[in-house]
């Protein structure tokens, strides 16, 4: 039924819609839980940590959003390097990682 609905809504783009609908209806993946734990340990001052498996749940690609005071005074590339270092082991088995960092607003 999901595939039929997505084909009706978007025609040839139905595969993309189906993946996102399935992801929305599914539970949190083990990879998301593991990486969230690692980032919270590495960045104890983080006010927000969000890890999302954007590969449809297979663990090939993730998106990470992290807001922390630890990033203050660092360029974006340095912030991303810190995240990459924290997730070094997990990254080895991934196809890709999208990183979004920010400093908490006061």
């Amino acid at each position: 039924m999901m595939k039929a609905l997505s084909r009706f809504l978007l025609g040839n783009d139905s595969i993309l819609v189906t993946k996102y609908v399935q992801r929305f209806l599914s539970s949190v993946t083990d990879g998301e839980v593991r990486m969230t734990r690692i980032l919270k340990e590495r960045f104890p001052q983080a006010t927000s940590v969000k890890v999302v498996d954007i590969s449809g749940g297979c663990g090939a690609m993730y998106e990470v959003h992290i807001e922390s005071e630890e990033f203050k005074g660092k360029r974006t590339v340095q912030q991303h390097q810190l995240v990459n270092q924290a997730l070094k082991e997990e990254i080895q088995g991934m196809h890709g990682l999208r990183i979004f960092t920010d400093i908490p607003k006061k």
Side-chain angles (χ1 to χ4, degrees), residues 81-104:
Q81 286 171 339
L82 290 172
V83 174
N84 277 314
Q85 289 170 0
L87 298 174
K88 185 175 153 181
E89 296 297 319
E90 285 66 29
I91 289 172
Q92 292 178 12
M94 287 183 208
H95 172 70
L97 177 65
R98 298 170 75 185
I99 301 172
F100 299 90
T101 55
D102 204 359
I103 299 165

Side-chain angles (χ1 to χ4, degrees), residues 2 5-6 16-26:
M2 270 193 288
L5 177 60
S6 61
L16 180 62
V17 171
T18 300
K19 286 178 84 172
Y20 282 104
V21 169
Q22 289 172 340
R23 174 65 183 119
F24 178 75
L25 296 174
S26 68

